[in-house]
Coordinates of all heavy atoms in Angstrom, one line a residue:
T1105 N 226.8 -10.1 -44.4 CA 226.3 -11.5 -44.1 C 225.0 -11.8 -44.9 O 224.1 -11.0 -44.9 CB 226.0 -11.6 -42.6 OG1 227.2 -11.3 -41.9 CG2 225.6 -13.0 -42.2
K1106 N 225.0 -13.0 -45.4 CA 223.8 -13.4 -46.2 C 222.8 -14.1 -45.3 O 223.1 -15.0 -44.6 CB 224.4 -14.4 -47.2 CG 223.4 -14.9 -48.2 CD 224.1 -15.7 -49.2 CE 223.2 -16.7 -49.8 NZ 223.9 -17.6 -50.7
F1107 N 221.6 -13.6 -45.3 CA 220.6 -14.2 -44.4 C 219.5 -15.0 -45.1 O 218.8 -15.8 -44.5 CB 219.8 -13.0 -43.6 CG 220.7 -12.4 -42.6 CD1 221.3 -11.2 -42.9 CD2 221.0 -13.0 -41.4 CE1 222.1 -10.6 -42.0 CE2 221.8 -12.4 -40.5 CZ 222.4 -11.2 -40.8
M1108 N 219.4 -14.9 -46.4 CA 218.4 -15.7 -47.1 C 219.1 -16.9 -47.8 O 220.2 -16.8 -48.4 CB 217.7 -14.9 -48.2 CG 216.9 -13.7 -47.6 SD 215.6 -14.3 -46.6 CE 214.5 -15.1 -47.7
P1109 N 218.5 -18.1 -47.8 CA 219.1 -19.2 -48.4 C 219.2 -19.0 -49.9 O 218.3 -18.4 -50.5 CB 218.2 -20.4 -48.1 CG 217.0 -19.8 -47.5 CD 217.2 -18.4 -47.1
D1110 N 220.2 -19.5 -50.5 CA 220.4 -19.5 -52.0 C 219.9 -20.8 -52.5 O 220.4 -21.9 -52.2 CB 221.9 -19.4 -52.3 CG 222.2 -19.4 -53.8 OD1 221.2 -19.5 -54.6 OD2 223.4 -19.2 -54.1
N1111 N 218.8 -20.8 -53.2 CA 218.1 -22.0 -53.7 C 219.0 -22.9 -54.5 O 218.8 -24.1 -54.6 CB 216.9 -21.7 -54.5 CG 215.8 -21.1 -53.6 OD1 215.8 -21.3 -52.4 ND2 214.9 -20.3 -54.1
G1112 N 220.0 -22.3 -55.2 CA 220.9 -23.1 -56.0 C 222.1 -23.7 -55.2 O 222.9 -24.4 -55.8
N1113 N 222.2 -23.4 -54.0 CA 223.4 -23.8 -53.2 C 223.1 -25.3 -52.7 O 222.1 -25.6 -52.0 CB 223.5 -22.9 -52.0 CG 224.8 -23.1 -51.2 OD1 225.5 -24.1 -51.5 ND2 225.1 -22.2 -50.3
Q1114 N 224.1 -26.1 -53.0 CA 224.0 -27.5 -52.6 C 225.0 -27.8 -51.5 O 225.3 -29.0 -51.3 CB 224.2 -28.4 -53.8 CG 223.1 -28.3 -54.9 CD 221.7 -28.6 -54.4 OE1 221.5 -29.6 -53.6 NE2 220.7 -27.8 -54.7
E1115 N 225.5 -26.8 -50.8 CA 226.5 -27.0 -49.8 C 226.0 -27.9 -48.7 O 224.8 -27.8 -48.3 CB 226.9 -25.7 -49.2 CG 228.0 -25.8 -48.2 CD 228.4 -24.4 -47.6 OE1 227.9 -23.4 -48.1 OE2 229.3 -24.4 -46.7
T1116 N 226.9 -28.7 -48.1 CA 226.5 -29.6 -47.0 C 227.5 -29.3 -45.9 O 228.7 -29.2 -46.1 CB 226.6 -31.1 -47.4 OG1 225.7 -31.3 -48.5 CG2 226.2 -32.0 -46.3
L1117 N 227.0 -29.1 -44.7 CA 227.9 -28.9 -43.5 C 228.1 -30.2 -42.8 O 227.3 -31.1 -42.9 CB 227.2 -27.9 -42.6 CG 226.9 -26.6 -43.2 CD1 226.2 -25.7 -42.2 CD2 228.1 -25.9 -43.7
S1118 N 229.2 -30.3 -42.1 CA 229.6 -31.6 -41.4 C 229.4 -31.4 -39.9 O 229.7 -30.4 -39.3 CB 231.1 -31.9 -41.7 OG 231.3 -32.2 -43.0
L1119 N 228.8 -32.5 -39.4 CA 228.6 -32.6 -37.9 C 229.2 -33.9 -37.5 O 228.9 -34.9 -38.1 CB 227.1 -32.6 -37.7 CG 226.6 -32.3 -36.2 CD1 226.9 -30.9 -35.8 CD2 225.1 -32.5 -36.2
T1120 N 230.1 -33.9 -36.5 CA 230.7 -35.1 -36.1 C 229.8 -35.9 -35.3 O 228.8 -35.4 -34.7 CB 232.0 -34.9 -35.3 OG1 231.7 -34.2 -34.0 CG2 233.0 -34.0 -36.0
V1121 N 230.0 -37.2 -35.1 CA 229.2 -38.1 -34.3 C 229.2 -37.6 -32.9 O 228.2 -37.6 -32.2 CB 229.7 -39.5 -34.4 CG1 228.9 -40.4 -33.5 CG2 229.5 -40.0 -35.8
E1122 N 230.4 -37.1 -32.4 CA 230.4 -36.6 -31.0 C 229.5 -35.3 -30.8 O 228.9 -35.2 -29.8 CB 231.9 -36.2 -30.6 CG 232.8 -37.4 -30.5 CD 233.6 -37.6 -31.8 OE1 233.2 -37.1 -32.8 OE2 234.6 -38.2 -31.7
E1123 N 229.5 -34.5 -31.8 CA 228.7 -33.3 -31.8 C 227.2 -33.7 -31.7 O 226.4 -33.1 -31.0 CB 229.0 -32.3 -32.9 CG 230.3 -31.7 -32.8 CD 230.7 -30.9 -34.1 OE1 230.2 -31.3 -35.2 OE2 231.6 -30.0 -34.0
L1124 N 226.9 -34.6 -32.6 CA 225.5 -35.1 -32.6 C 225.1 -35.7 -31.2 O 224.0 -35.4 -30.7 CB 225.3 -36.1 -33.7 CG 223.9 -36.7 -33.8 CD1 222.8 -35.7 -34.1 CD2 223.9 -37.8 -34.8
E1125 N 226.0 -36.5 -30.6 CA 225.7 -37.1 -29.4 C 225.5 -36.0 -28.3 O 224.7 -36.1 -27.4 CB 226.8 -38.1 -29.0 CG 226.6 -38.8 -27.7 CD 225.4 -39.7 -27.6 OE1 224.6 -39.8 -28.6 OE2 225.2 -40.4 -26.6
A1126 N 226.4 -35.0 -28.3 CA 226.3 -33.9 -27.3 C 224.9 -33.2 -27.5 O 224.2 -32.9 -26.5 CB 227.4 -32.9 -27.5
L1127 N 224.5 -32.9 -28.7 CA 223.2 -32.4 -28.9 C 222.1 -33.3 -28.4 O 221.1 -32.8 -27.8 CB 222.9 -32.1 -30.5 CG 223.4 -30.8 -31.1 CD1 223.1 -30.9 -32.6 CD2 222.8 -29.6 -30.4
R1128 N 222.2 -34.5 -28.7 CA 221.1 -35.5 -28.3 C 221.0 -35.6 -26.8 O 219.9 -35.5 -26.3 CB 221.5 -36.9 -28.9 CG 220.4 -37.9 -28.6 CD 220.8 -39.3 -29.1 NE 221.8 -39.9 -28.1 CZ 221.5 -40.4 -26.9 NH1 220.2 -40.5 -26.5 NH2 222.4 -40.9 -26.2
L1129 N 222.1 -35.7 -26.1 CA 222.1 -35.8 -24.7 C 221.5 -34.5 -24.0 O 220.7 -34.6 -23.1 CB 223.4 -36.1 -24.1 CG 224.0 -37.5 -24.5 CD1 225.4 -37.7 -24.0 CD2 223.1 -38.6 -23.9
C1130 N 222.0 -33.3 -24.5 CA 221.6 -32.1 -23.8 C 220.3 -31.6 -24.3 O 219.5 -31.1 -23.4 CB 222.7 -31.0 -24.1 SG 224.2 -31.4 -23.2
D1131 N 220.0 -31.6 -25.5 CA 218.8 -31.0 -26.1 C 217.6 -32.0 -26.2 O 216.5 -31.6 -26.1 CB 219.1 -30.3 -27.4 CG 220.1 -29.2 -27.3 OD1 220.2 -28.7 -26.1 OD2 220.7 -28.8 -28.3
L1132 N 217.9 -33.2 -26.5 CA 216.8 -34.2 -26.7 C 216.5 -34.9 -25.4 O 215.3 -35.1 -25.0 CB 217.1 -35.2 -27.8 CG 216.0 -36.2 -28.2 CD1 214.8 -35.5 -28.7 CD2 216.5 -37.2 -29.2
E1133 N 217.5 -35.4 -24.7 CA 217.4 -36.1 -23.4 C 217.3 -35.2 -22.2 O 217.0 -35.6 -21.1 CB 218.5 -37.1 -23.2 CG 218.6 -38.2 -24.2 CD 217.4 -39.2 -24.1 OE1 217.0 -39.4 -22.9 OE2 216.9 -39.7 -25.1
S1134 N 217.6 -33.9 -22.4 CA 217.5 -32.9 -21.4 C 218.5 -33.1 -20.2 O 218.2 -32.8 -19.1 CB 216.1 -32.7 -20.8 OG 215.2 -32.3 -21.9
L1135 N 219.6 -33.7 -20.5 CA 220.6 -33.9 -19.4 C 221.3 -32.6 -19.2 O 221.5 -31.8 -20.2 CB 221.6 -35.0 -19.8 CG 221.2 -36.4 -19.9 CD1 222.3 -37.3 -20.3 CD2 220.5 -36.9 -18.7
D1136 N 221.8 -32.3 -18.0 CA 222.6 -31.1 -17.8 C 224.0 -31.4 -18.4 O 224.3 -32.6 -18.6 CB 222.6 -30.7 -16.4 CG 223.2 -31.7 -15.4 OD1 224.2 -32.4 -15.8 OD2 222.7 -31.8 -14.3
Q1137 N 224.8 -30.4 -18.5 CA 226.1 -30.6 -19.2 C 227.0 -31.5 -18.4 O 227.8 -32.3 -18.9 CB 226.8 -29.3 -19.4 CG 226.1 -28.5 -20.5 CD 226.8 -27.2 -20.9 OE1 227.8 -26.9 -20.4 NE2 226.1 -26.5 -21.8
D1138 N 227.0 -31.5 -17.0 CA 227.8 -32.4 -16.2 C 227.4 -33.8 -16.5 O 228.3 -34.7 -16.7 CB 227.6 -32.1 -14.7 CG 228.3 -30.8 -14.4 OD1 229.4 -30.5 -14.9 OD2 227.8 -30.1 -13.5
A1139 N 226.1 -34.1 -16.5 CA 225.7 -35.5 -16.7 C 226.0 -36.0 -18.1 O 226.4 -37.1 -18.4 CB 224.2 -35.6 -16.5
A1140 N 225.8 -35.1 -19.1 CA 226.1 -35.5 -20.5 C 227.6 -35.7 -20.7 O 228.0 -36.7 -21.4 CB 225.7 -34.4 -21.5
A1141 N 228.4 -34.9 -20.1 CA 229.9 -35.1 -20.2 C 230.3 -36.4 -19.6 O 231.1 -37.1 -20.1 CB 230.6 -33.9 -19.5
A1142 N 229.7 -36.7 -18.4 CA 230.0 -38.0 -17.8 C 229.6 -39.2 -18.6 O 230.3 -40.1 -18.8 CB 229.3 -38.1 -16.4
R1143 N 228.4 -39.1 -19.3 CA 227.9 -40.1 -20.1 C 228.9 -40.3 -21.3 O 229.1 -41.4 -21.8 CB 226.5 -39.8 -20.6 CG 225.9 -40.8 -21.5 CD 224.9 -41.8 -20.9 NE 223.8 -41.4 -20.1 CZ 222.6 -41.2 -20.6 NH1 222.3 -41.5 -21.8 NH2 221.6 -40.9 -19.7
M1144 N 229.4 -39.2 -21.8 CA 230.3 -39.3 -23.0 C 231.8 -39.5 -22.6 O 232.6 -39.7 -23.4 CB 230.2 -38.0 -23.8 CG 228.9 -37.9 -24.5 SD 228.8 -36.4 -25.5 CE 230.0 -36.8 -26.9
D1145 N 232.0 -39.5 -21.3 CA 233.4 -39.7 -20.7 C 234.4 -38.7 -21.3 O 235.4 -39.0 -21.7 CB 233.9 -41.2 -21.1 CG 235.1 -41.5 -20.2 OD1 235.2 -41.0 -19.1 OD2 235.9 -42.4 -20.6
V1146 N 233.9 -37.4 -21.2 CA 234.7 -36.3 -21.6 C 234.6 -35.2 -20.5 O 233.7 -35.3 -19.7 CB 234.3 -35.7 -23.0 CG1 234.5 -36.7 -24.1 CG2 232.9 -35.1 -23.0
S1147 N 235.5 -34.2 -20.5 CA 235.3 -33.1 -19.5 C 234.2 -32.2 -19.9 O 233.7 -32.2 -21.1 CB 236.6 -32.3 -19.5 OG 236.8 -31.5 -20.7
R1148 N 233.7 -31.5 -19.0 CA 232.6 -30.6 -19.2 C 233.0 -29.5 -20.3 O 232.2 -29.1 -21.1 CB 232.1 -29.9 -18.0 CG 230.9 -29.0 -18.2 CD 230.3 -28.4 -17.0 NE 229.2 -27.6 -17.3 CZ 228.6 -26.8 -16.5 NH1 229.0 -26.7 -15.3 NH2 227.6 -26.0 -16.9
G1149 N 234.2 -29.0 -20.2 CA 234.7 -28.1 -21.2 C 234.7 -28.6 -22.6 O 234.3 -27.9 -23.5
T1150 N 235.1 -29.9 -22.7 CA 235.1 -30.5 -24.0 C 233.6 -30.7 -24.5 O 233.3 -30.4 -25.7 CB 235.7 -31.9 -24.0 OG1 237.1 -31.7 -23.6 CG2 235.7 -32.7 -25.3
L1151 N 232.7 -31.1 -23.7 CA 231.3 -31.2 -24.1 C 230.8 -29.8 -24.5 O 230.1 -29.7 -25.5 CB 230.5 -31.7 -22.9 CG 229.0 -31.8 -23.3 CD1 228.6 -33.2 -23.7 CD2 228.1 -31.2 -22.3
Q1152 N 231.1 -28.8 -23.8 CA 230.7 -27.4 -24.1 C 231.2 -27.0 -25.5 O 230.4 -26.4 -26.3 CB 231.1 -26.4 -23.1 CG 230.4 -26.5 -21.8 CD 230.9 -25.5 -20.7 OE1 232.1 -25.2 -20.7 NE2 230.1 -25.0 -19.9
R1153 N 232.4 -27.3 -25.8 CA 233.0 -27.0 -27.1 C 232.2 -27.8 -28.2 O 231.9 -27.2 -29.3 CB 234.5 -27.3 -27.2 CG 235.3 -26.2 -26.5 CD 236.8 -26.4 -26.6 NE 237.3 -27.6 -26.0 CZ 237.6 -27.7 -24.7 NH1 237.4 -26.6 -23.9 NH2 238.1 -28.8 -24.2
M1154 N 232.0 -29.0 -28.0 CA 231.2 -29.9 -29.0 C 229.8 -29.3 -29.2 O 229.3 -29.2 -30.3 CB 231.2 -31.3 -28.6 CG 232.5 -32.0 -28.7 SD 232.4 -33.8 -28.4 CE 232.1 -33.9 -26.6
L1155 N 229.2 -29.0 -28.1 CA 227.8 -28.5 -28.1 C 227.7 -27.1 -28.8 O 226.9 -26.9 -29.7 CB 227.3 -28.4 -26.7 CG 225.8 -28.3 -26.4 CD1 225.0 -29.4 -27.1 CD2 225.5 -28.3 -24.9
Y1156 N 228.6 -26.2 -28.5 CA 228.7 -24.9 -29.2 C 228.9 -25.1 -30.7 O 228.1 -24.5 -31.5 CB 229.8 -24.1 -28.6 CG 230.0 -22.8 -29.4 CD1 229.1 -21.7 -29.1 CD2 231.0 -22.6 -30.3 CE1 229.3 -20.5 -29.8 CE2 231.1 -21.4 -31.0 CZ 230.3 -20.4 -30.7 OH 230.4 -19.2 -31.4
S1157 N 229.8 -26.0 -31.1 CA 230.1 -26.2 -32.5 C 228.8 -26.8 -33.2 O 228.5 -26.5 -34.3 CB 231.3 -27.1 -32.7 OG 231.5 -27.4 -34.0
A1158 N 228.2 -27.8 -32.5 CA 227.1 -28.5 -33.1 C 225.9 -27.5 -33.3 O 225.2 -27.5 -34.3 CB 226.6 -29.7 -32.2
R1159 N 225.7 -26.7 -32.3 CA 224.5 -25.7 -32.4 C 224.8 -24.7 -33.4 O 223.9 -24.3 -34.2 CB 224.3 -25.1 -31.0 CG 223.7 -26.0 -30.0 CD 223.5 -25.4 -28.7 NE 222.8 -26.3 -27.8 CZ 222.8 -26.2 -26.4 NH1 223.5 -25.2 -25.9 NH2 222.1 -27.0 -25.7
R1160 N 226.0 -24.3 -33.6 CA 226.4 -23.3 -34.6 C 226.2 -23.9 -36.0 O 225.6 -23.3 -36.9 CB 227.8 -22.8 -34.4 CG 228.2 -21.8 -35.4 CD 229.7 -21.3 -35.1 NE 230.2 -20.5 -36.1 CZ 230.0 -19.2 -36.2 NH1 229.3 -18.5 -35.3 NH2 230.6 -18.5 -37.2
T1161 N 226.6 -25.1 -36.2 CA 226.5 -25.8 -37.5 C 225.0 -26.0 -37.8 O 224.6 -25.8 -38.9 CB 227.2 -27.1 -37.5 OG1 228.6 -26.9 -37.2 CG2 227.1 -27.9 -38.8
T1162 N 224.3 -26.5 -36.8 CA 222.8 -26.7 -37.0 C 222.1 -25.4 -37.4 O 221.2 -25.4 -38.3 CB 222.2 -27.4 -35.8 OG1 223.0 -28.6 -35.5 CG2 220.8 -27.7 -36.0
A1163 N 222.4 -24.4 -36.6 CA 221.7 -23.1 -36.9 C 222.1 -22.6 -38.3 O 221.2 -22.0 -39.0 CB 222.2 -22.1 -35.8
K1164 N 223.3 -22.7 -38.7 CA 223.7 -22.2 -40.0 C 223.0 -23.0 -41.1 O 222.5 -22.5 -42.1 CB 225.2 -22.4 -40.2 CG 225.7 -21.8 -41.5 CD 227.2 -21.9 -41.6 CE 227.7 -21.4 -43.0 NZ 229.2 -21.5 -43.1
A1165 N 222.9 -24.4 -40.9 CA 222.2 -25.2 -41.9 C 220.7 -24.8 -42.0 O 220.2 -24.7 -43.1 CB 222.3 -26.7 -41.5
L1166 N 220.1 -24.6 -40.8 CA 218.6 -24.3 -40.9 C 218.4 -22.9 -41.4 O 217.5 -22.7 -42.2 CB 218.1 -24.3 -39.4 CG 218.0 -25.7 -38.8 CD1 217.6 -25.6 -37.3 CD2 216.9 -26.5 -39.6
T1167 N 219.3 -21.9 -41.1 CA 219.1 -20.6 -41.6 C 219.3 -20.5 -43.1 O 218.6 -19.8 -43.8 CB 220.2 -19.7 -40.9 OG1 219.9 -19.7 -39.5 CG2 220.0 -18.2 -41.4
F1168 N 220.3 -21.2 -43.6 CA 220.6 -21.1 -45.1 C 220.1 -22.2 -45.9 O 220.4 -22.3 -47.1 CB 222.2 -20.9 -45.2 CG 222.7 -19.6 -44.6 CD1 223.5 -19.7 -43.5 CD2 222.3 -18.4 -45.0 CE1 224.0 -18.6 -42.9 CE2 222.8 -17.2 -44.4 CZ 223.6 -17.3 -43.4
G1169 N 219.4 -23.1 -45.3 CA 218.8 -24.2 -46.1 C 219.8 -25.2 -46.6 O 219.7 -25.7 -47.7
L1170 N 220.9 -25.5 -45.8 CA 221.9 -26.4 -46.2 C 221.7 -27.7 -45.6 O 221.0 -27.9 -44.6 CB 223.3 -25.8 -45.7 CG 223.6 -24.4 -46.1 CD1 224.9 -23.9 -45.4 CD2 223.7 -24.3 -47.6
G1171 N 222.4 -28.7 -46.2 CA 222.3 -30.1 -45.7 C 223.3 -30.3 -44.6 O 224.3 -29.5 -44.4
I1172 N 223.1 -31.3 -43.8 CA 224.0 -31.7 -42.7 C 224.5 -33.1 -43.0 O 223.6 -34.0 -43.1 CB 223.4 -31.6 -41.3 CG1 223.0 -30.1 -41.0 CG2 224.4 -32.1 -40.3 CD1 222.3 -30.0 -39.7
Q1173 N 225.8 -33.4 -43.0 CA 226.3 -34.7 -43.1 C 226.9 -35.1 -41.8 O 227.7 -34.3 -41.2 CB 227.4 -34.7 -44.2 CG 228.0 -36.1 -44.4 CD 229.0 -36.1 -45.6 OE1 229.3 -35.1 -46.2 NE2 229.5 -37.3 -45.8
I1174 N 226.5 -36.2 -41.3 CA 227.0 -36.7 -40.0 C 228.0 -37.8 -40.2 O 227.8 -38.8 -40.9 CB 225.9 -37.2 -39.1 CG1 224.8 -36.0 -38.9 CG2 226.4 -37.7 -37.8 CD1 223.5 -36.5 -38.3
G1175 N 229.2 -37.6 -39.6 CA 230.2 -38.7 -39.7 C 231.5 -38.2 -39.2 O 231.7 -37.0 -38.8
G1176 N 232.4 -39.1 -39.1 CA 233.8 -38.7 -38.6 C 233.8 -38.6 -37.1 O 232.9 -38.8 -36.4
G1177 N 235.0 -38.2 -36.6 CA 235.2 -38.1 -35.2 C 235.8 -39.3 -34.6 O 236.1 -40.3 -35.3
H1178 N 235.9 -39.3 -33.3 CA 236.5 -40.4 -32.5 C 235.4 -40.9 -31.5 O 235.1 -40.1 -30.6 CB 237.8 -40.0 -31.8 CG 238.8 -39.4 -32.7 ND1 239.6 -40.1 -33.6 CD2 239.1 -38.1 -33.0 CE1 240.3 -39.4 -34.3 NE2 240.1 -38.1 -34.0
Y1179 N 234.9 -42.0 -31.7 CA 233.9 -42.5 -30.9 C 233.9 -44.0 -30.8 O 234.5 -44.7 -31.6 CB 232.5 -42.1 -31.3 CG 232.1 -42.6 -32.7 CD1 231.4 -43.8 -32.9 CD2 232.5 -41.9 -33.9 CE1 231.1 -44.2 -34.1 CE2 232.2 -42.4 -35.1 CZ 231.5 -43.5 -35.2 OH 231.1 -44.0 -36.5
E1180 N 233.2 -44.5 -29.8 CA 233.1 -46.0 -29.5 C 231.6 -46.2 -29.2 O 231.1 -45.6 -28.3 CB 234.0 -46.3 -28.4 CG 234.1 -47.8 -28.0 CD 235.1 -48.0 -26.9 OE1 236.2 -47.5 -27.0 OE2 234.7 -48.6 -25.9
I1181 N 231.0 -47.2 -29.8 CA 229.7 -47.6 -29.6 C 229.6 -48.5 -28.4 O 230.3 -49.6 -28.3 CB 229.0 -48.2 -30.8 CG1 229.0 -47.2 -31.9 CG2 227.6 -48.7 -30.5 CD1 228.5 -47.7 -33.2
S1182 N 228.8 -48.1 -27.4 CA 228.7 -48.9 -26.1 C 227.8 -50.1 -26.4 O 226.8 -50.1 -27.1 CB 228.1 -48.1 -25.1 OG 227.8 -48.9 -23.9
G1183 N 228.2 -51.2 -25.8 CA 227.5 -52.5 -25.9 C 226.4 -52.6 -24.8 O 225.6 -53.5 -24.8
Q1184 N 226.4 -51.6 -23.9 CA 225.5 -51.7 -22.8 C 224.1 -51.2 -23.2 O 224.0 -50.3 -24.0 CB 225.9 -50.8 -21.7 CG 227.2 -51.2 -21.0 CD 227.6 -50.3 -19.8 OE1 226.9 -49.3 -19.6 NE2 228.6 -50.7 -19.1
G1185 N 223.1 -51.9 -22.8 CA 221.8 -51.5 -23.0 C 221.0 -51.4 -21.7 O 221.6 -51.7 -20.7
C1186 N 219.9 -50.9 -21.8 CA 219.1 -50.7 -20.6 C 218.2 -52.0 -20.4 O 217.6 -52.5 -21.4 CB 218.2 -49.5 -20.7 SG 217.1 -49.2 -19.3
D1187 N 218.1 -52.5 -19.2 CA 217.3 -53.7 -18.9 C 216.0 -53.4 -18.2 O 215.4 -54.3 -17.6 CB 218.1 -54.7 -18.0 CG 219.3 -55.3 -18.8 OD1 219.1 -55.4 -20.1 OD2 220.2 -55.8 -18.2
C1188 N 215.6 -52.2 -18.2 CA 214.4 -51.8 -17.5 C 213.1 -52.3 -18.1 O 212.1 -52.4 -17.4 CB 214.3 -50.3 -17.3 SG 213.8 -49.4 -18.8
R1189 N 213.1 -52.7 -19.3 CA 211.9 -53.2 -20.1 C 210.8 -52.2 -20.0 O 209.6 -52.6 -20.1 CB 211.5 -54.6 -19.5 CG 212.5 -55.6 -19.8 CD 212.0 -57.0 -19.3 NE 212.9 -58.1 -19.7 CZ 214.0 -58.4 -19.1 NH1 214.4 -57.8 -18.1 NH2 214.7 -59.4 -19.6
K1190 N 211.1 -50.9 -19.9 CA 210.1 -49.9 -19.9 C 210.5 -48.8 -20.9 O 211.6 -48.9 -21.4 CB 209.9 -49.2 -18.5 CG 209.4 -50.2 -17.4 CD 209.4 -49.5 -16.1 CE 209.0 -50.4 -15.0 NZ 209.0 -49.8 -13.7
L1191 N 209.7 -47.8 -21.1 CA 210.1 -46.8 -22.0 C 210.8 -45.6 -21.3 O 210.3 -44.5 -21.2 CB 208.9 -46.3 -22.7 CG 208.2 -47.3 -23.7 CD1 207.0 -46.7 -24.3 CD2 209.2 -47.8 -24.7
C1192 N 212.0 -45.9 -20.7 CA 212.8 -44.9 -20.1 C 213.5 -44.1 -21.1 O 213.5 -44.4 -22.3 CB 213.7 -45.5 -19.1 SG 215.1 -46.4 -19.8
K1193 N 214.2 -43.1 -20.7 CA 215.0 -42.2 -21.6 C 216.1 -43.0 -22.4 O 216.4 -42.6 -23.5 CB 215.7 -41.1 -20.8 CG 214.7 -40.0 -20.4 CD 215.5 -38.9 -19.8 CE 214.6 -37.7 -19.4 NZ 215.3 -36.6 -18.9
N1194 N 216.6 -44.1 -21.8 CA 217.6 -44.8 -22.4 C 217.1 -45.8 -23.5 O 217.9 -46.1 -24.4 CB 218.4 -45.6 -21.4 CG 219.2 -44.8 -20.5 OD1 219.7 -43.8 -20.9 ND2 219.3 -45.2 -19.2
C1195 N 215.9 -46.2 -23.4 CA 215.5 -47.2 -24.4 C 214.2 -46.9 -25.1 O 213.7 -47.6 -26.0 CB 215.3 -48.6 -23.7 SG 214.1 -48.6 -22.4
K1196 N 213.6 -45.7 -24.9 CA 212.3 -45.4 -25.5 C 212.4 -45.2 -27.1 O 211.4 -45.3 -27.7 CB 211.7 -44.1 -24.9 CG 212.4 -42.9 -25.2 CD 211.7 -41.7 -24.5 CE 212.5 -40.4 -24.6 NZ 211.9 -39.3 -23.9
F1197 N 213.6 -45.0 -27.6 CA 213.7 -44.8 -29.0 C 214.2 -46.1 -29.8 O 214.5 -46.1 -30.9 CB 214.6 -43.7 -29.4 CG 214.1 -42.4 -28.9 CD1 214.7 -41.7 -27.8 CD2 212.9 -41.8 -29.5 CE1 214.1 -40.5 -27.4 CE2 212.4 -40.6 -29.0 CZ 213.0 -39.9 -28.0
K1198 N 214.3 -47.2 -29.0 CA 214.8 -48.5 -29.7 C 213.7 -49.1 -30.5 O 212.6 -48.9 -30.3 CB 215.2 -49.4 -28.6 CG 216.5 -49.0 -28.0 CD 216.9 -50.0 -26.9 CE 218.2 -49.6 -26.3 NZ 218.7 -50.5 -25.3

């Protein structure tokens, strides 16, 4: 196994939009897996598989100095927004 990045390597790894969302909800928003799965409207097992894949891809990219391309997958952008008019977890990054 190669542990040092190859400076000449321009390889890019792929991360699906669903994998990114799983990472965002669990690791950035600190939701537990049940809440994140409910938010994404998937089973907890499906969320766990997406999270495992996303973390593995991210760790490989960081370890070997590779790029990450985000795209693809099956997703739907929600039109719902938060009406709290405060900086809650749902709208603080808007």
Side-chain angles (χ1 to χ4, degrees):
T1105 303
K1106 182 174 155 186
F1107 290 102
M1108 295 300 292
D1110 179 358
N1111 293 337
N1113 191 352
Q1114 297 300 319
E1115 183 181 355
T1116 301
L1117 302 178
S1118 296
L1119 195 66
T1120 67
V1121 173
E1122 293 96 340
E1123 290 170 336
L1124 176 62
E1125 181 67 357
L1127 274 178
R1128 187 185 73 78
L1129 291 174
C1130 293
D1131 296 340
L1132 185 61
E1133 295 291 325
S1134 300
L1135 294 180
D1136 64 36
Q1137 290 185 6
D1138 288 325
R1143 179 96 56 98
M1144 291 181 69
D1145 197 26
V1146 297
S1147 71
R1148 183 173 179 191
T1150 297
L1151 178 101
Q1152 286 175 328
R1153 285 186 292 278
M1154 288 187 288
L1155 199 53
Y1156 176 78
S1157 178
R1159 287 177 175 163
R1160 182 176 170 88
T1161 299
T1162 303
K1164 184 176 178 182
L1166 290 171
T1167 301
F1168 297 115
L1170 306 174
I1172 297 176
Q1173 180 177 2
I1174 300 166
H1178 303 284
Y1179 62 93
E1180 185 176 308
I1181 298 174
S1182 173
Q1184 291 182 354
C1186 180
D1187 289 336
C1188 74
R1189 293 183 172 82
K1190 296 178 185 175
L1191 294 179
C1192 71
K1193 285 185 176 182
N1194 293 323
C1195 60
K1196 67 181 174 184
F1197 295 111
K1198 288 182 182 180

